[in-house]
Amino acid sequence: MAGGSSNYWEDLRKQARQLENELDLKLVSFSKLCTSYSSSRDSRRGDSNSDTTPLLNNSTQDRMFETMSVEIEQLLAKLTGVNDKMAEYTSTPGVTSLNAALMHTLQRHRDILQDYTHESHKTKANFLAIRERVDLLGSVRKDIETYKSGSGVNNRRTELFLKEHEHLRNSDRLMDDTISIAMATKENMTSQRGLLKSIHSRVNTLANRFPAINNLIQRINLRKRRDSLILGAVIGVCTILLLLYAFH
């Protein structure tokens, strides 16, 4: 009975390993299909000589995607069933002495199944996202070609509208930059004014505390005023002399 149970367990492990190998190969091919889907459709989109060949090729890739998705789901379901049978076997009363080793093996197969399931869902989601994006880009290109194939007047108006729209956007961007520079300059001047006020208040404080410094500052200011008056008088006299000389 023990030999038969052992053979049953080994058969289940062989089935699990075989299904895991098949799933690994399928997922590799599935990932390659997802990677090559976008580039192949982009390269075919540039071919303007034929409109039917790209559709046939796209349809073929879509059918391959659907077929491989179904095959992978079937393999995952079979592997899940084998894991369930292995779990039932580990709970059999006759194999309690080997339960720890069996549970370790079962857990490893469950982890592999979980990884393959996650990879399958991730690859499928990426494929669907790429297909949706490519279809959207194709629709946009088709709309652009439809506009281009219209009358020359409409195309000319569209180009003018687009250029005008671009000019307006550039003007708005320039105005935003100018306003930002002006605001930064205002903030800088405000901070400098505050700094000058602080320095002036400190100087006044020092002058009030020390009369000698206050007297020195007043003398400096008087000398500046006197020098300014003398310089103004000299400039005025020179100007009058030059005018008299010029008129004589």
Side-chain angles (χ1 to χ4, degrees):
M1 179 68 181
S5 300
S6 177
N7 292 334
Y8 179 70
W9 174 257
E10 290 300 326
D11 290 340
L12 291 177
R13 289 191 60 188
K14 288 180 182 179
Q15 294 178 22
R17 286 195 296 268
Q18 181 179 358
L19 290 172
E20 289 168 359
N21 291 333
E22 292 180 8
L23 273 170
D24 186 61
L25 295 175
K26 287 289 184 182
L27 288 173
V28 170
S29 301
F30 200 41
S31 179
K32 289 181 179 179
L33 176 65
C34 177
T35 304
S36 62
Y37 184 79
S38 179
S39 58
S40 63
R41 295 192 74 169
D42 289 339
S43 62
R44 287 196 300 268
R45 192 184 296 115
D47 186 10
S48 58
N49 296 326
S50 176
D51 295 333
T52 57
T53 303
L55 294 175
L56 293 176
N57 291 334
N58 293 342
S59 178
T60 301
Q61 283 190 324
D62 292 337
R63 286 198 299 270
M64 289 177 60
F65 167 74
E66 298 296 338
T67 302
M68 294 182 69
S69 298
V70 173
E71 292 176 353
I72 290 173
E73 291 296 332
Q74 291 176 351
L75 289 174
L76 289 174
K78 290 180 180 180
L79 185 57
T80 302
V82 173
N83 284 345
D84 292 340
K85 291 180 181 179
M86 294 173 71
E88 292 176 0
Y89 178 78
T90 56
S91 60
T92 303
V95 293
T96 8
S97 57
L98 302 175
N99 195 32
L102 297 180
M103 288 300 297
H104 176 74
T105 303
L106 175 60
Q107 185 61 39
R108 186 168 61 85
H109 285 291
R110 282 177 172 175
D111 292 339
I112 294 174
L113 173 61
Q114 184 177 2
D115 292 340
Y116 284 160
T117 303
H118 176 72
E119 185 177 354
S120 172
H121 293 166
K122 181 180 178 181
T123 305
K124 186 183 296 185
N126 291 338
F127 185 92
L128 294 175
I130 291 174
R131 184 170 65 179
E132 182 179 359
R133 183 183 63 199
V134 171
D135 291 341
L136 180 60
L137 290 176
S139 176
V140 172
R141 287 177 180 268
K142 185 177 180 181
D143 293 339
I144 293 174
E145 291 176 358
T146 302
Y147 279 113
K148 287 183 177 179
S149 62
S151 62
V153 177
N154 291 332
N155 289 337
R156 180 61 179 170
R157 288 179 178 176
T158 303
E159 292 177 1
L160 291 175
F161 286 149
L162 291 175
K163 289 181 179 180
E164 186 66 22
H165 179 66
E166 187 66 23
H167 289 326
L168 290 175
R169 288 183 61 186
N170 293 333
S171 300
D172 291 340
R173 192 180 302 112
L174 182 61
M175 289 296 296
D176 291 338
D177 294 340
T178 305
I179 292 173
S180 299
I181 294 173
M183 293 297 293
T185 305
K186 180 183 176 182
E187 292 178 358
N188 191 11
M189 293 181 66
T190 302
S191 63
Q192 290 181 1
R193 184 175 62 184
L195 181 61
L196 292 175
K197 285 184 177 180
S198 176
I199 294 173
H200 183 68
S201 63
R202 289 181 181 179
V203 171
N204 290 333
T205 303
L206 289 175
N208 293 328
R209 288 183 179 179
F210 303 98
I213 297 177
N214 191 14
N215 294 331
L216 179 61
I217 293 174
Q218 290 179 359
R219 289 178 183 178
I220 292 172
N221 291 332
L222 290 175
R223 182 168 294 180
K224 284 183 178 180
R225 292 178 183 176
R226 186 187 63 185
D227 292 342
S228 299
L229 292 174
I230 293 172
L231 182 60
V234 171
I235 293 174
V237 171
C238 291
T239 304
I240 294 173
L241 292 176
L242 288 174
L243 291 175
L244 292 174
Y245 178 77
F247 284 110
H248 283 290

